[in-house]
Amino acid sequence: MPKRSYRSRSIRKIYIKTPGGKTVIHYERKKPKKAHCGSCGAILKGVPRERPYKLRKLAKTQRRPERPYGGVLCSKCARLLFIREARK
Amino acid sequence: MIEIGRLCLKIAGKESGKKCVIVDVIDDSYVMVDGDVKRKRCNIKHLEPLEGTIKIEKNASHDMVVKEFKKLAIEIKESKPKEKKEKPKKIRGKKEKVEVKEEKPKRKALLTVGAKKEKKETKAKTTENKKEKPDKPKEEKKVKKKIVKENKS
Ligand SMILES: [Zn+2]
């Protein structure tokens, strides 16, 4: 029996093969849902699907696209927004 | 719409939302671009042509474009080249002499000198007391163990 707190369904198991040939179970929290566009709701590309503590280990350029509104709006919506702002 | 001197807006990439001008038309899908962006080749699909043109020659230099942009009151951020810092050179085989600083006695330590002596004295007393105490119960335990062993045998 694992530790009592690991018996929760909100925790996922990861089977890892050790160098010695054993398979051990690591317990981790589940991943959050994918990042979505703020205006149309499409799935954002280039945004990793990880918990914040793992995102913190990444470089800033690996966390979101390097464009204004990157990681917030999808590329289509951002394009429209730039054109609209220029037309004003 | 796509011609030399046409003002454009970049709508893709990290410089999206910034204004630029077409300096050269390379072929029917690519143009050379300069201005508030890095001077580089750019796809026409990544540009949104704006109203207004600038009178410049083909392959005009960056300084010329900057001058024209200033007339239109478009600010251009110039990135300064980094100054080179001199790194301390290491010579192989030769170990540099490290200056040893004379450590001043810390203020806390000075204050607690008297207190430490007292502590030592008290510690010594306690250890003496401890030494005396555990002698008796140990013997009892040994005796008990012996009795158990005898019973088992
Ligand atoms: Zn969108």
Side-chain angles (χ1 to χ4, degrees), chain B residues 63-80:
Chain B
D63 297 332
M64 286 290 293
V65 174
V66 171
K67 267 186 190 175
E68 293 295 324
F69 266 58
K70 271 185 183 174
K71 283 178 191 170
L72 292 169
I74 300 168
E75 281 183 24
I76 293 173
K77 270 192 175 179
E78 295 278 343
S79 62
K80 287 176 188 173

Side-chain angles (χ1 to χ4, degrees), chain B residues 22 30 44 50 57 63 82 88 98 116 118 135 141 147:
Chain B
I22 294 169
Y30 285 104
I44 293 168
L50 300 172
E57 292 173 4
D63 297 332
K82 274 186 183 178
V98 183
K116 267 190 179 175
E118 285 177 7
D135 287 339
K141 273 182 186 176
I147 295 162

